[in-house]
Amino acid sequence: GWGGHCIDQHAVRLRQGTTWGMNHHATEEWCKRYTSSLHLVLLRDWRLPGGRAPNGFAFEQLLSDARARGAVIG
């Protein structure tokens, strides 16, 4: 099986990432079937004055949305 390797999805909207040093494209259906866990990196340093992240997202809302999808924030 494919078990136990990581795909870095650096262009999530395009379902594009890197695995085994090669570019990878996956459909949403493929991700739902073959993904056992997802990791999201959010740094508290990204919370800028005014409550926004550098990309303009409302930082606390982003955390709340992640928790609503089952993320464990630590």
Side-chain angles (χ1 to χ4, degrees), residues 19-71:
T19 183
W20 298 100
M22 296 172 25
N23 222 8
H24 163 78
H25 296 272
T27 64
E28 187 169 344
E29 293 77 23
W30 186 92
C31 290
K32 286 179 181 177
R33 182 173 181 156
Y34 295 107
T35 301
S36 61
S37 65
L38 299 172
H39 299 270
L40 170 69
V41 177
L42 295 173
L43 302 177
R44 296 213 183 266
D45 292 346
W46 291 350
R47 188 177 189 279
L48 301 174
R52 296 277 172 193
N55 62 3
F57 290 151
F59 190 80
E60 293 302 321
Q61 184 63 50
L62 185 57
L63 289 176
S64 178
D65 291 347
R67 283 186 189 102
R69 292 180 154 268

